[in-house]
Amino acid sequence: MTARVLINVPPKAKRGEIISINTLIGHVMESGFRHTTTGVPIPRNILTLFVATYNGEEIFRAELFPAVAANPFISFDTVATESGTIEFTWTGDNGFAATKQAKITVE
């Protein structure tokens, strides 16, 4: 499955500035609690983990559970320390994984 991923990271920031980062991923979520019309359980298919790293160092982590939205929006703040890459990784059931990167220039 290919997920639609949207991220908003400021392209430039001043050293020490607090920046806001917003992410949104489109994912077909299924809680695992529903059944088909014939009574067969529909298997769970959710995102279970979101991790953000800044130049390889983890800056944010969230464990996700069945009650999370079908297209989870995650927003957090971090401090701009140096120019580099912020990487976002979502993992889930059935081997799902999606990764997206954004560059930031720190002046």
Side-chain angles (χ1 to χ4, degrees):
M1 172 193 168
T2 302
R4 182 170 179 222
V5 176
L6 301 172
I7 56 173
N8 184 1
V9 175
K12 292 184 180 181
K14 294 184 179 179
R15 189 172 312 279
E17 180 181 354
I18 296 173
I19 57 171
S20 292
I21 297 173
N22 300 309
T23 69
L24 177 72
I25 185 167
H27 183 270
V28 178
M29 301 282 261
E30 184 55 58
S31 68
F33 299 119
R34 296 184 329 136
H35 294 78
T36 65
T37 55
T38 59
V40 177
I42 300 172
R44 187 177 98 157
N45 183 18
I46 67 167
L47 295 172
T48 56
L49 184 64
F50 170 77
V51 176
T53 60
Y54 187 170
N55 288 338
E57 183 179 334
E58 187 175 300
I59 57 171
F60 186 86
R61 172 182 289 262
E63 291 183 34
L64 306 172
F65 297 93
V68 75
N71 301 308
F73 173 78
I74 298 174
S75 180
F76 61 96
D77 296 333
T78 192
V79 177
T81 56
E82 61 187 353
S83 296
T85 303
I86 301 175
E87 184 173 276
F88 308 92
T89 304
W90 294 262
T91 54
D93 292 337
N94 307 316
F96 177 85
T99 301
K100 184 108 178 190
Q101 295 180 339
K103 300 280 186 191
I104 186 168
T105 301
V106 176
E107 303 167 335

